[in-house]
Amino acid sequence: MTFDLTPEQDQLRDAVRALGRRYGHGYFVEKAKAGEHTTELWAEAGRLGYLGVNIPTEYGGGGGGITELAIVCEELAAAGCPLLLLVVSPAIAATVLARHGTEEQRKRHLPGLADGSAKIVFAITEPEAGSNFHRLGTVARRDGDDWLLNGRKCYISGVDEAGHVLVVARTEDSSTGRLKPALFLVPTDAAGLTRSKLDMEIVSPENQFLLYLDDVRVPADALVGESLDAGLPALFAGLNPERITVAAMGAGTGRYAIERASEYTATRKVWGGRSIGSHQGVAHPLAHAAVQVELARLMIQKAATRYDAGRDLEAGVAGNMAKYAAGEAAALAVDTAVQALGGAGMTTEYGVATLLGAVRAGRIAPVSREMILNFVAQHVLGQDKSY
């Protein structure tokens, strides 16, 4: 067992850290408050190959895995630039297509995802069903050689930045008559697909949307995979990378907040010229938060390693635990940093309160802490299902 990165992974971490710090949290907040996107950072990250580290080399990627993409997510967040679309486009969409898409779909979409020139977002959550794919109301029905999609989706990230949205719908199985999940690549300018922006209390350059699908017609090759049987494995193929990269982003955000607070508390001097960080009442909460973040990072590394080794069941357990741990640790770290900085912690200048909304959301999405505890209770502790 080793806790060391490979030399190539170390180089990736250093390079992404340098890129993130050249932009920094000030850039991130400025873009968010202006209602703009982090276009320049995304484009440069794509040009340098960081967005495609997990995409196979034959499609223009780096040939690595979720371990490498988690490094990218964490280091950009640790520089104050937590990019949610890293989770949505390279982690979910690219993984789904690489593992379960047709060869034509891989050739058409993966090169653009790898170099950052294209984005594909993900639509599973619905107003009534949440993310429970057993209860989804969005339905796809055959109409000749085409498919017609009808339904509603909510909290869909980055639709205004993407060329396609990966829609999770339910289709009728001709052999059983039952509905089962399938994934469709839907152009964001498709007729019948409309959207409305959700106003969120989160400082982020990436927007959330409601989507409405009213007889959205897509061709047969919009179905991900060779047949409807690809739907369920394709859906699950994206969920573990989602958990792991969200966790990595949370861990990076926690690191950023602790670093900002530590710099402040080590230099802020009152009461006889001693730094406020020399007082245990200030130092111990920061140290506690640092421990929690580091523990989360260990579980993220374990989850990513399991996933990249093809051990999906183990990766599912570790990924959920990593997401839980990182969500709690990030929220603790940012709140502790704000407290340590006092009034300065609530200013935009010091760059920690701007993350309060995002880390609080990290305890809810993409799966709530309570649902993770349900998962662990059932699958690790052997308890009866509670819902």
Side-chain angles (χ1 to χ4, degrees):
M1 180 182 295
T2 177
F3 296 99
D4 295 326
L5 298 177
T6 66
E8 293 77 14
Q9 291 168 342
D10 267 328
Q11 291 170 9
L12 175 65
R13 185 179 292 282
D14 291 342
V16 176
R17 180 187 299 121
L19 172 65
R21 287 183 174 179
R22 279 202 287 109
Y23 285 87
H25 190 60
Y27 163 85
F28 180 89
V29 172
E30 180 182 354
K31 289 291 184 179
K33 291 192 172 183
E36 300 173 356
H37 303 306
T38 53
T39 306
E40 302 86 355
L41 174 54
W42 186 271
E44 188 167 355
R47 187 168 61 253
L48 293 171
Y50 305 149
L51 303 181
V53 289
N54 62 310
I55 293 174
T57 55
E58 57 265 39
Y59 305 106
I66 294 303
T67 298
E68 284 75 20
L69 187 60
I71 290 171
V72 175
C73 290
E74 181 182 345
E75 289 306 321
L76 286 180
C81 298
L83 300 185
L84 179 58
L85 286 191
L86 277 171
V87 174
V88 178
S89 195
I92 301 177
T95 300
V96 166
L97 292 175
R99 292 185 63 168
H100 296 283
T102 65
E103 180 61 17
E104 176 57 32
Q105 288 167 345
R106 291 193 288 265
K107 288 180 177 178
R108 187 189 312 167
H109 296 288
L110 290 181
L113 297 182
D115 66 19
S117 61
K119 297 173 184 172
I120 298 177
V121 296
F122 184 61
I124 182 172
T125 308
E126 296 185 357
E128 301 300 326
S131 298
N132 181 358
F133 68 87
H134 295 291
R135 302 291 183 184
L136 295 181
T138 300
V139 175
R141 302 191 186 281
R142 290 192 182 275
D143 186 52
D145 291 333
D146 296 338
W147 291 92
L148 286 178
L149 277 67
N150 285 277
R152 293 186 300 160
K153 300 290 183 179
C154 61
Y155 304 115
I156 309 306
S157 307
V159 181
D160 55 335
E161 302 181 60
H164 287 79
V165 54
L166 192 58
V167 175
V168 184
R170 297 171 76 203
T171 62
E172 186 174 2
D173 186 335
S174 58
S175 61
T176 65
R178 295 178 180 176
L179 293 175
K180 62 181 184 179
L183 279 69
F184 295 87
L185 283 160
V186 180
T188 51
D189 61 356
L193 177 65
T194 56
R195 66 185 188 234
S196 60
K197 182 181 173 185
L198 285 164
D199 291 327
M200 307 291 290
E201 295 299 322
I202 299 174
V203 178
S204 173
E206 295 150 327
N207 298 315
Q208 302 291 313
F209 291 90
L210 289 166
L211 291 186
Y212 307 91
L213 299 100
D214 298 303
D215 283 338
V216 175
R217 182 179 295 274
V218 294
D221 63 2
L223 174 69
V224 172
E226 300 289 350
S227 71
L228 289 175
D229 291 334
L232 192 58
L235 175 59
F236 280 112
L239 295 183
N240 285 339
E242 176 191 52
R243 305 284 196 270
I244 295 166
T245 50
V246 164
M249 191 166 64
T253 301
R255 285 173 50 203
Y256 167 83
I258 292 167
E259 181 180 350
R260 296 288 292 171
S262 298
E263 290 172 350
Y264 180 86
T265 55
T267 55
R268 171 73 168 160
K269 295 182 178 180
V270 295
W271 302 308
R274 295 175 60 190
S275 69
I276 61 173
S278 67
H279 298 277
Q280 293 178 356
V282 175
H284 281 189
L286 286 173
H288 174 65
V291 169
Q292 301 309 305
V293 169
E294 190 62 22
L295 291 173
R297 294 180 74 204
L298 288 173
M299 185 54 75
I300 293 163
Q301 185 177 355
K302 178 179 179 179
T305 300
R306 295 288 188 271
Y307 185 83
D308 290 338
R311 296 158 65 175
D312 288 352
L313 290 177
E314 294 170 88
V317 173
N320 274 289
M321 288 183 171
K323 195 274 172 185
Y324 180 97
E328 299 298 301
L332 175 66
V334 172
D335 185 68
T336 302
V338 170
Q339 191 70 23
L341 269 67
M346 294 304 296
T347 66
T348 302
E349 176 187 357
Y350 282 88
V352 285
T354 43
L355 294 166
L356 282 168
V359 295
R360 187 60 186 83
R363 300 174 74 210
I364 301 168
V367 58
S368 71
R369 62 193 299 276
E370 288 76 19
M371 286 305 295
I372 292 176
L373 293 176
N374 283 334
F375 177 92
V376 172
Q378 181 182 349
H379 295 282
V380 178
L381 305 182
Q383 303 303 303
D384 289 339
K385 193 174 183 178
S386 63
Y387 57 95

